[in-house]
Amino acid sequence: MQIHLSDITDSEGKHIQLQPELELDKISFQMGDYPILEKTPVELEITNTGNKVLELKGIGSVTVGIPCDRCLEQVAVKIPYEIEQKLDMKKSDTERVQDLDENDYLTGMDLDVDRLVYLEVLMSWPLKVLCREDCKGICSRCGKNLNKGSCGCAEEPKDPRMAAISDIFSKFKEV
Ligand SMILES: [Zn+2]
Ligand SMILES: [Zn+2]
């Protein structure tokens, strides 16, 4: 959702509260596309602190479907975020780029709330995702999800002589 900021930029001391709905339905970056399963509206406050500077504060959360690091089953991960930004509305878009202000959620007087939330969610992206603490992962041989039962593949033997015996054993089992 886009919020037009010219009214509040022109009235010093003004404070508004908004609850914009997110249009965002997935989080995409180099690692892939992750669907947003649930989202709260953003509780957003904008204050004109004077001299055409706006202070943005917001909270909310999104629940994103992320594959488990071990078994790859989708896990619903709730990612809360907090927004705290100062926007100097005196600057033009070109000046912002020159100042390396990476405010690409702000174009002229239009604030792109989805983009802002997207960036905040990326910053809070979980480093590790497990469907459960003791997830057994997938079999490195057949790819079966071992949380759903064992697959019957033999453990990887370390001794080559054992490997030969193990091969005979697994052939025997297939019959
Ligand atoms: Zn898992
Ligand atoms: Zn297996």
Side-chain angles (χ1 to χ4, degrees):
M1 182 176 165
Q2 301 270 350
I3 298 176
H4 196 63
L5 296 172
S6 58
D7 280 358
I8 186 154
T9 302
D10 290 337
S11 25
E12 202 159 306
K14 191 172 175 178
H15 174 79
I16 53 170
Q17 282 179 308
L18 305 155
Q19 286 193 319
E21 293 283 345
L22 287 180
E23 284 157 31
L24 208 61
D25 57 2
K26 63 174 195 252
I27 302 287
S28 306
F29 58 106
Q30 317 87 283
M31 303 288 284
D33 290 342
Y34 303 89
I36 292 182
L37 309 172
E38 267 181 67
K39 54 194 169 188
T40 61
V42 193
E43 301 280 343
L44 192 65
E45 288 181 44
I46 309 174
T47 313
N48 183 331
T49 57
N51 200 19
K52 290 196 188 296
V53 174
L54 301 182
E55 199 176 78
L56 294 185
K57 280 190 174 164
I59 51 165
S61 71
V62 291
T63 302
V64 189
I66 306 175
C68 169
D69 288 343
R70 289 188 199 148
C71 71
L72 307 177
E73 287 284 314
Q74 181 173 283
V75 186
V77 183
K78 188 174 178 181
I79 304 179
Y81 57 83
E82 236 183 282
I83 297 164
E84 249 194 273
Q85 298 287 341
K86 269 194 169 48
L87 305 178
D88 189 344
M89 304 304 282
K90 291 186 297 298
K91 287 187 190 171
S92 67
D93 289 347
T94 338
E95 281 173 320
R96 283 192 192 110
V97 173
Q98 282 162 357
D99 295 353
L100 300 175
D101 247 352
E102 291 186 54
N103 292 350
D104 66 346
Y105 47 83
L106 187 64
T107 310
M109 286 283 166
D110 291 306
L111 173 70
D112 184 340
V113 179
D114 289 273
R115 180 72 190 164
L116 180 56
V117 167
Y118 166 83
L119 294 170
E120 294 294 339
V121 169
L122 278 198
M123 305 248 280
S124 317
W125 199 255
L127 294 175
K128 192 179 171 115
V129 173
L130 289 179
C131 60
R132 55 188 216 212
E133 263 320 299
D134 62 344
C135 170
K136 295 187 175 75
I138 54 175
C139 171
S140 56
R141 284 195 173 182
C142 71
K144 182 178 166 152
N145 183 342
L146 297 174
N147 297 313
K148 294 176 178 166
S150 56
C151 55
C153 293
E155 291 279 313
E156 203 72 41
K158 290 180 189 81
D159 186 320
R161 284 165 303 172
M162 283 303 291
I165 292 166
S166 160
D167 279 348
I168 294 163
F169 185 61
S170 55
K171 272 187 199 117
F172 175 71
K173 268 206 300 196
E174 276 161 23
V175 178

